[in-house]
Amino acid sequence: MKGFWHDAVEFFPILMNGVVLTIVVTIGSLLLSTVLGLIWAMMRVSGIKALSMISASLINVIRGIPIIVLLFYLYFVMPDLGVTLSALQAAILGLGIAYSAYQAENFRAGIEAIDKGQIEAAQSIGMGWWLTMRRVVLPQAVRIVLPPYGNVMIMMLKDSSQASTITVAELALQGKLIASSTFKNTSVFTLVALMYLTMSIPLILLVRHFEKRAGKR
Amino acid sequence: MIELNDVHKSFGENEVLKGITASVQKGEVVCIVGPSGSGKSTILRCINGLESYDRGEISVEGLKVDRDAPSIVNIRTQVSMVFQRFNLFPHRTALENVIEGPLYVKRESRAQALERGRALLAQVGLAEKADAHPPQLSGGQQQRVAIARALAMQPKAILFDEPTSALDPELVGDVLGVMRKLADDGMTMVVVTHEMGFARDVADRVLFIDGGVIVEQGPAKALLNQPQHPRTQDFLRRVLHPL
């Protein structure tokens, strides 16, 4: 145990560099997946057949490809096509695209859960599609969508570790590098696990808060 | 101001409107009565384009109702609707519900919308409930807010789709009272209802609909007191003397 504390003090600063990158990747891909997910969901519920079909197939393609393959594609294949991305850019883009499919399905479920009478009431006072979405449907859907959205945040935090496969030195890769040069596997990976857990706990509490609020009405 | 000419409408195989021809004059109160499933609500929903129709023509002040045309927004701002289940926006207060249309559809100034919104809530007897959210209001209060919301659009006519059917019996009177006042003030109203007392006292005309056709129509008192058609007689007997 004493050895662990000693190692912890020694490795903590290096691992913190990894934590910073983990947070950057998570927040970056969270924002991207939210924006893309919203766009897919809007296309899906637009009532325009072509848009809805494009969105549905896109979601299925994205869902059918493992995140790691998507990352390899962006990082190793895109340069052949003349688009060179830094490891960090490729990680954010890949995770953002991969998760946009789940976000889209989550948003769509939230939108479709809104009572049809709400939409008719909006139409009956002359609101068009976009105004109905913005003023009536989305504000109510947010309540429904937030708890699963929180869960996606937790999953993204953990899946950001997949960025290590394309050389982003986030927490998991930092740990692996230290472990392979010091052979202190137990200390290092226990520390890494604890650091992920520490970052997850606020998110878990946030989800619980969302769930309580959603249950109120 | 509202004209229906040989309107047909089917849901799949089921033809719910089989040639409805009727008109509503400015300032007139027309009640539509009939058994459930007869197509009463569908007529209202076709008039403001919540539902499309297959054949015939509906026009409001000479403008053809086509739910896929941009002009439908124009029609909906002139013909408001009050729903059976109120359909208030639960995430907004009573006052916010009322000013939503004036503010975002008609783009009135906030001050002007607020002033009229408060006056309308007072008119339906709910001035002190302006800041309450719909779940905190009784059904009767919610429906009166919904009427204020419809009035806020300064419509030329209001469609009421069974406005008291979802209410506890003791709350029906408040809503009917507000509607009666509107009628007295000269509002053009089309009311789908099972409240025969309201139809007799307030309506100018009553349409009896059964099986997607107008079976009988005429001045309210005459039709409800001395129905001519056997189906009307049978329906009224059942409604007025259920035991």
Side-chain angles (χ1 to χ4, degrees):
Chain A
M1 197 62 194
K2 208 171 157 225
F4 174 75
W5 288 117
H6 183 265
D7 292 343
V9 171
E10 189 185 341
F11 300 144
F12 188 77
I14 312 173
L15 289 176
M16 275 313 280
N17 293 336
V19 167
V20 171
L21 267 178
T22 291
I23 291 174
V24 169
V25 170
T26 305
I27 291 178
S29 50
L30 183 69
L31 292 178
L32 182 63
S33 68
T34 304
V35 172
L36 289 179
L38 261 176
I39 295 173
W40 308 152
M42 289 304 201
M43 285 167 71
R44 205 64 207 274
V45 300
S46 65
I48 300 166
K49 261 222 176 86
L51 285 183
S52 157
M53 265 175 58
I54 291 171
S55 158
S57 3
L58 220 75
I59 288 170
N60 281 332
V61 168
I62 295 170
R63 267 203 299 211
I65 300 173
I67 294 176
I68 205 167
V69 175
L70 207 58
L71 291 176
F72 287 165
Y73 215 89
L74 286 169
Y75 191 57
F76 299 120
V77 180
M78 290 307 270
D80 292 348
L81 305 172
V83 183
T84 309
L85 297 167
S86 74
L88 184 62
Q89 288 168 340
I92 290 174
L93 200 59
L95 282 162
I97 291 173
Y99 267 93
S100 71
Y102 302 104
Q103 300 276 35
E105 291 297 276
N106 178 23
F107 294 154
R108 182 172 71 104
I111 289 168
E112 286 178 349
I114 302 303
D115 180 26
K116 244 190 105 215
Q118 289 290 308
I119 294 161
E120 292 186 346
Q123 289 178 338
S124 79
I125 55 172
M127 287 189 172
W129 186 85
W130 175 238
L131 205 53
T132 302
M133 275 289 154
R134 188 164 69 84
R135 295 291 305 169
V136 178
V137 176
L138 292 181
Q140 295 186 66
V142 165
R143 263 172 191 283
I144 302 168
V145 161
L146 272 182
Y149 186 80
N151 283 322
V152 167
M153 283 164 72
I154 296 170
M155 283 161 62
M156 291 189 83
L157 173 70
K158 294 184 296 177
D159 272 346
S160 68
S161 59
Q162 301 211 40
S164 63
T165 57
I166 54 168
T167 76
V168 176
E170 44 65 70
L171 182 53
L173 184 55
Q174 286 288 13
K176 197 177 148 214
L177 292 174
I178 300 173
S180 56
S181 60
T182 63
F183 300 109
K184 289 184 172 165
N185 288 310
T186 312
S187 298
V188 172
F189 287 122
T190 305
L191 205 53
V192 167
L194 285 174
M195 288 170 100
Y196 271 115
L197 192 59
T198 310
M199 287 189 280
S200 299
I201 285 170
L203 295 179
I204 291 168
L205 293 176
L206 192 66
V207 171
R208 205 157 70 180
H209 171 73
F210 287 156
E211 278 170 348
K212 253 193 220 149
R213 242 186 38 172
K216 249 190 205 159
R217 198 163 275 176
Chain B
M1 70 172 287
I2 301 172
E3 306 277 344
L4 294 90
N5 190 8
D6 194 30
V7 174
H8 291 253
K9 163 81 184 168
S10 301
F11 290 111
E13 298 279 282
N14 182 18
E15 192 173 26
V16 285
L17 300 182
K18 300 173 183 164
I20 300 286
T21 300
S23 67
V24 179
Q25 307 306 316
K26 192 169 174 341
E28 205 179 16
V29 177
V30 174
C31 278
I32 303 178
V33 303
S36 56
S38 58
K40 309 183 298 283
S41 294
T42 308
I43 294 176
L44 286 196
R45 295 166 58 81
C46 285
I47 292 175
N48 76 343
L50 288 180
E51 220 57 88
S52 60
Y53 50 96
D54 306 329
R55 211 141 52 80
E57 181 164 310
I58 303 176
S59 65
V60 173
E61 298 244 84
L63 193 61
K64 182 174 188 264
V65 178
D66 176 357
R67 77 187 296 242
D68 298 320
S71 61
I72 194 67
V73 170
N74 193 356
I75 287 168
R76 283 171 179 160
T77 54
Q78 294 183 46
V79 182
S80 289
M81 180 129 174
V82 172
F83 299 89
Q84 182 177 355
R85 303 216 46 91
F86 332 132
N87 296 352
L88 291 180
F89 306 130
H91 55 305
R92 307 204 186 280
T93 64
L95 183 59
E96 286 169 345
N97 265 277
V98 175
I99 65 173
E100 186 73 16
L103 218 48
Y104 290 93
V105 178
K106 298 189 119 182
R107 304 199 156 276
E108 288 175 18
S109 75
R110 179 164 275 273
Q112 189 190 349
L114 278 172
E115 189 189 324
R116 224 186 45 250
R118 285 187 204 284
L120 285 169
L121 282 178
Q123 188 185 330
V124 298
L126 292 171
E128 77 286 6
K129 296 289 185 187
D131 297 323
H133 279 86
Q136 299 162 327
L137 299 172
S138 74
Q141 290 170 334
Q142 288 191 51
Q143 194 60 298
R144 283 184 282 154
V145 173
I147 293 173
R149 177 174 68 180
L151 286 170
M153 297 305 289
Q154 299 179 303
K156 295 185 174 145
I158 304 185
L159 313 174
F160 293 83
D161 187 6
E162 302 200 29
T164 58
S165 296
L167 298 179
D168 291 335
E170 78 272 20
L171 303 176
V172 168
D174 291 342
V175 171
L176 291 182
V178 168
M179 290 168 62
R180 178 191 286 261
K181 251 196 299 180
L182 280 182
D184 292 345
D185 292 346
M187 176 59 77
T188 309
M189 295 162 64
V190 185
V191 187
V192 170
T193 187
H194 292 292
E195 298 290 337
M196 295 306 150
F198 176 84
R200 184 175 332 167
D201 295 349
V202 180
D204 299 305
R205 240 166 1 109
V206 170
L207 309 184
F208 174 71
I209 304 226
D210 192 10
V213 295
I214 298 175
V215 175
E216 188 172 352
Q217 60 176 309
K221 286 193 179 61
L223 188 138
L224 293 172
N225 291 336
Q226 286 110 31
Q228 301 301 310
H229 199 284
R231 269 148 83 189
T232 321
Q233 292 167 355
D234 183 52
F235 171 77
L236 289 173
R237 196 163 45 238
R238 285 170 202 241
V239 171
L240 297 173
H241 309 287
L243 298 178

